[in-house]
Amino acid sequence: LTADLDFSNVSIIDAHCHSYLETPKNLSGEEFARYASIAAQPSFLEGKFVPSKVQLQSGLDRLSTMYKEQPHLKRMVHLLSKFLRCEDTLDAVSRVRSSRAEGNFRQYVKDLFSDVGISGLVIDGGYPPLTDDDVKEFPAAVAKIFRLDTFLKELLASHKDFQELCAAYESGIREAVKNRGHVGLKSIIAYRTGLKIQRVERGDAEEDFQQAKSGRAEAAWFGPKTKRLRDFLFVRALELSIELGVPMQIHTGVGDYDIILDQCDPALLYDLLKDDKLRHATVVLVHSGYPNNPNAAFMASVLPNVFLDFSLTIPFLNPTGHDRLMEILQVAPNSKIMYGSDAFNLPELIWLGAKVGRNALSKCLTASVKDGLFSEDEAGRIGKRILFENANELYRLRIP
Ligand SMILES: [Zn+2]
């Protein structure tokens, strides 16, 4: 093997990302950096405690510096300056991309996508919300994932009776999959009450529901905590995913600053996923549990129905992509690994993820060939599976 394996002609399915349609088209450098960031937003500094003007300004200044210093942003600006043929600075890149986005946004995104060969997107349709009309705006095949937590929030507000809430939850999930084109379910319970999920008796879940309705439940920023109710409905959704024959994505690992940092390790799910019934549910450990990627890879390697994608890990948290991806490739069966970006707000993040992800995969697989782990032919097939085929099959996308 004289050169790195070349995957530049392999088309890519981004197996986990979010819509960018709500973001303003014209962004200053400052705004572009903030929209690309997973760090706290400025509103984070405005809680119940009222800081002095000086304190508030100091916090805002630090956030602004953080946005601009994020390594993945630096990398994106550098790579975009080549694509846009402009100076390698945040301001120059933001100016040129804004003028193209304002001119003909769809064409600009199309140019980005064709530059990196994006053919499909699996989008979390719950954040931000995605209508059927929105779906037509993307210059790629789009598959929607049904977000359970957003749905539950609506149901909690609109139902007074526990039996009715459960019935509406179940029929809503069935409807989303059977009639509204969602190709899978998604839980972000790692942002709510954490991944140490227990099987809960119906009566205990109902007690939590009654407490929430009467205002006696412990409150959190997202609403009533009600861990037993959330665990109960999480398990119910997993059971339904078996019946409906669709995968369920579970957010694992870090994410934005609302994450429950000590309750997001995918290892916490291990016992539950071995449950007699739940072992038949097809589960995707989204973000492969960064920084606990080896735990996710291990679970995918021993449990038949556990898959993972390495979104967020690349491009946000490991923007050169090698170490973390290597940990995954060394352990997880390659038919269970999917490329994804977790891009949000900006189509350039989908582009960056594809560019970095393809390159990192090539580097890792080339090294594996040199180490004698895979033959060159095998490594070529594995790259194609991870970038395209695995997601195409698992989510039944039928992209040619
Ligand atoms: Zn995400």
Side-chain angles (χ1 to χ4, degrees):
L1 198 65
T2 47
D4 281 1
L5 291 161
D6 181 12
F7 296 125
S8 54
N9 291 323
V10 177
S11 101
I12 289 185
I13 294 175
D14 190 331
H16 175 74
C17 60
H18 300 263
S19 171
Y20 50 74
L21 296 175
E22 291 188 345
T23 307
K25 307 288 179 276
N26 192 338
L27 299 172
S28 66
E30 182 91 26
E31 290 165 331
F32 187 73
R34 177 160 59 80
Y35 275 102
S37 176
I38 57 172
Q41 293 298 299
S43 59
F44 177 68
L45 295 166
E46 292 158 19
K48 279 183 203 146
F49 172 76
V50 181
S52 74
K53 269 192 177 158
V54 175
Q55 287 162 343
L56 179 63
Q57 195 53 51
S58 150
L60 290 171
D61 291 347
R62 282 177 180 164
L63 277 178
S64 158
T65 307
M66 280 162 60
Y67 299 145
K68 289 177 207 152
E69 282 179 350
Q70 291 201 99
H72 78 274
L73 179 82
K74 295 259 182 208
R75 185 121 204 250
M76 178 157 73
V77 166
H78 175 65
L79 294 171
L80 274 176
S81 74
K82 291 186 190 165
F83 175 73
L84 299 169
R85 296 168 199 275
C86 66
E87 212 189 322
D88 184 1
T89 64
L90 175 61
D91 285 338
V93 162
S94 306
R95 204 170 331 115
V96 177
R97 64 78 62 194
S98 291
S99 100
R100 285 186 61 172
E102 278 195 314
N104 183 341
F105 185 61
R106 202 175 188 283
Q107 184 59 48
Y108 172 55
V109 178
K110 202 172 170 187
D111 294 343
L112 284 168
F113 284 11
S114 61
D115 182 52
V116 289
I118 300 237
S119 58
L121 306 172
V122 180
I123 302 186
D124 177 341
Y127 178 79
L130 193 68
T131 67
D132 285 339
D133 277 344
D134 290 342
V135 167
K136 297 174 201 141
E137 294 299 312
F138 299 87
V142 167
K144 295 176 296 180
I145 299 287
F146 187 66
R147 190 178 213 167
L148 298 163
D149 316 76
T150 331
F151 182 49
L152 174 59
K153 192 179 171 100
E154 289 166 24
L155 295 181
L156 269 175
S158 59
H159 287 271
K160 291 195 184 77
D161 180 83
F162 181 66
Q163 305 307 329
E164 279 174 30
L165 174 114
C166 291
Y169 182 74
E170 294 182 11
S171 67
I173 291 172
R174 285 201 180 90
E175 165 78 12
V177 171
K178 288 185 174 164
N179 301 324
R180 287 176 34 228
H182 289 91
V183 299
L185 312 178
K186 182 184 182 195
S187 167
I188 54 151
I189 201 166
Y191 282 98
R192 299 292 183 262
T193 42
L195 294 181
K196 192 67 197 167
I197 296 153
Q198 316 280 0
R199 268 192 176 277
V200 170
E201 295 297 329
R202 206 179 174 89
D204 292 337
E206 179 165 9
E207 211 174 280
D208 268 18
F209 172 79
Q210 300 302 353
Q211 287 181 359
K213 291 311 279 187
S214 63
R216 283 176 294 129
E218 189 186 342
W221 64 271
F222 51 78
K225 258 196 182 165
T226 57
K227 175 164 166 54
R228 291 178 302 175
L229 175 65
R230 288 176 197 278
D231 283 4
F232 176 79
L233 293 174
F234 177 96
V235 168
R236 204 53 210 113
L238 267 182
E239 290 174 343
L240 279 171
S241 78
I242 304 171
E243 178 195 314
L244 294 165
V246 291
M248 179 151 139
Q249 295 184 345
I250 305 174
H251 174 107
T252 62
V254 304
D256 68 43
Y257 72 95
D258 284 325
I259 195 68
I260 306 186
L261 192 51
D262 62 354
Q263 293 291 318
C264 66
D265 184 337
L268 296 169
L269 287 167
Y270 188 59
D271 288 342
L272 186 78
L273 298 182
K274 286 197 305 182
D275 171 282
D276 257 12
K277 183 170 184 186
L278 302 181
R279 66 181 64 164
H280 296 282
T282 298
V283 160
V284 181
L285 303 174
V286 177
H287 314 319
S288 61
Y290 182 102
N292 300 110
N293 304 81
N295 286 345
F298 168 75
M299 289 165 71
S301 78
V302 294
L303 299 179
N305 293 337
V306 174
F307 292 67
L308 60 84
D309 70 53
F310 52 88
S311 61
L312 188 73
T313 299
I314 293 175
F316 293 91
L317 301 169
N318 192 185
T320 53
H322 307 153
D323 339 7
R324 293 299 177 170
L325 185 54
M326 206 61 177
E327 287 173 350
I328 296 169
L329 289 168
Q330 299 255 334
V331 179
N334 56 70
S335 58
K336 300 177 108 187
I337 305 171
M338 289 175 284
Y339 165 77
S341 66
D342 198 31
F344 51 89
N345 287 347
L346 304 171
E348 289 90 346
L349 286 168
I350 296 180
W351 174 86
L352 174 72
K355 216 165 168 68
V356 172
R358 178 188 269 132
N359 190 16
L361 196 58
S362 159
K363 283 228 155 31
C364 291
L365 287 171
T366 301
S368 304
V369 171
K370 286 181 178 155
D371 289 342
L373 183 60
F374 305 120
S375 74
E376 196 175 331
D377 280 357
E378 271 172 336
R381 282 197 299 274
I382 290 169
K384 212 173 162 189
R385 270 186 212 148
I386 293 175
L387 291 170
F388 182 86
E389 286 165 8
N390 292 340
N392 205 27
E393 279 167 31
L394 189 72
Y395 296 112
R396 299 200 194 99
L397 305 181
R398 298 190 192 89
I399 301 174

